[in-house]
């Protein structure tokens, strides 16, 4: 995705359709609900803040752009069938208020599943540990699915994102792409509880 979307088993001659890669997940305070196209209506306002793009570039999507992306992601597989595109809406568990989104793009490299994560939290909801809590649940889930490597690309000045990565067990590498450092799950025996 980079923009949305995960993978199954590139190279395998089977259609990726199983929804059990994008189930509802819950944490103490959060509900991670599988993203559907209709979420665009609720999320367009939540994500309409230029500050969310400080380190990632671009601009907030308008409703038409968001709908288009969410419709594309709803297939949960890339158009070439090589990646799983997994997206969740992060909601407050008590009232289901949307707080942001969480994403994992799963591909297969050298016969091992690799998941790239990305997270976005509404500015008003930041600084309360929500992103770390949501990302922790997602990493735990991905490991139950047999994912062997979890990564994230993070701008070197993006302290909050680096802290989230660190909180869920990722460590900084010396690998860079488009000015962002690659962080990788450094402990494959990561405890899921
Ligand atoms: C990155 C982001 C998701 C973090 O969300 P969040 O809910 O505020 O994160 P948390 O509350 O879980 O905080 C994680 C850590 O970052 C720290 N932190 C939060 N905001 C910070 C800031 N502006 N500067 C420095 N540290 C910050 C917190 O204190 C916490 O540290 P700790 O683990 O040592 O306690 C949020 O800032 C965001 O959506 N940014 C814009 C989108 C984006 O750039 N996404 C990254 C793409 S990979």
């Amino acid at each position: 995705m980079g923009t949305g979307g995960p993978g199954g088993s590139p190279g395998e001659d089977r259609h990726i359709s199983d929804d059990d890669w994008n189930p509802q997940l819950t944490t103490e305070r959060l509900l991670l609900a599988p993203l559907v196209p209709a979420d665009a209506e609720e999320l367009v306002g939540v994500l309409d803040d230029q500050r969310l793009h400080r380190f990632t570039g671009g601009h907030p999507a308008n409703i038409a752009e968001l709908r288009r992306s969410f419709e594309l992601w709803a297939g949960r597989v890339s158009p070439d069938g090589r990646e799983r595109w997994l997206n969740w809406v992060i909601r407050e568990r008590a009232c289901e208020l949307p707080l942001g989104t969480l994403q994992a793009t799963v591909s297969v490299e050298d016969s091992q599943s690799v998941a790239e994560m990305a997270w976005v939290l509404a500015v008003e909801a930041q600084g309360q540990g929500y992103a770390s809590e949501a990302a922790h649940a997602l990493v735990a889930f991905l490991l139950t699915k047999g994912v062997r490597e979890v990564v994230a690309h993070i701008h070197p000045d993006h302290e909050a994102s680096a802290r989230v990565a660190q909180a869920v067990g990722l460590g900084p590498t010396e690998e860079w792409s488009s000015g962002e450092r690659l962080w990788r799950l450094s402990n494959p025996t990561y405890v899921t509880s």
Side-chain angles (χ1 to χ4, degrees):
M1 301 174 281
T3 34
S9 302
E12 280 185 23
D13 186 19
R14 70 180 174 86
H15 186 64
I16 295 169
S17 60
D18 50 323
D19 263 351
D20 63 351
W21 273 83
N22 204 164
Q24 180 170 298
L25 302 170
T26 52
T27 71
E28 191 183 337
R29 297 178 297 168
L30 303 171
L31 179 64
L32 307 184
L35 182 143
V36 295
D39 290 323
E41 318 296 328
E42 255 187 307
L43 280 170
V44 68
V46 174
L47 302 176
D48 186 19
D49 194 319
Q50 190 59 46
R51 290 172 290 180
L52 295 176
H53 294 265
R54 179 171 169 210
F55 295 107
T56 54
H59 59 84
N62 63 35
I63 185 65
E65 292 167 331
L66 209 57
R67 267 198 215 114
R68 213 172 309 126
S69 296
F70 286 10
E71 276 160 15
L72 183 63
W73 301 350
R76 313 214 188 279
V77 60
S78 60
D80 66 4
R82 299 184 65 81
E83 295 178 331
R84 288 186 194 279
W85 284 0
L86 312 178
N87 289 276
W88 287 263
V89 180
I90 302 171
R91 294 180 181 275
E92 215 170 63
R93 198 164 161 183
C95 60
E96 300 201 3
L97 189 75
L99 304 176
T101 61
L102 189 60
Q103 183 176 90
T105 303
V106 183
S107 56
V108 174
E109 288 171 23
D110 300 329
S111 315
Q112 298 209 329
S113 289
V114 178
E116 165 133 19
M117 293 175 69
W119 35 70
V120 180
L121 248 283
V123 172
E124 298 70 28
Q126 290 178 11
Q128 301 175 59
Y130 286 138
S132 302
E133 188 171 324
H136 185 278
L138 179 52
V139 171
F141 168 71
L142 290 169
L143 295 184
T144 70
K145 297 299 287 180
V147 167
R148 301 302 293 271
E149 198 172 302
V150 180
V151 301
H153 282 91
I154 300 176
H155 188 284
D157 298 332
H158 199 342
E159 185 68 25
S161 211
R163 293 282 192 87
V164 173
Q166 215 161 19
V168 298
L170 276 63
T173 72
E174 288 309 319
E175 294 166 54
W176 294 77
S177 173
S178 305
E180 294 184 319
R181 184 192 290 275
L182 183 76
W183 287 63
R184 181 181 279 127
L185 184 66
S186 50
N187 179 7
T189 57
Y190 181 82
V191 179
T192 57
S193 59

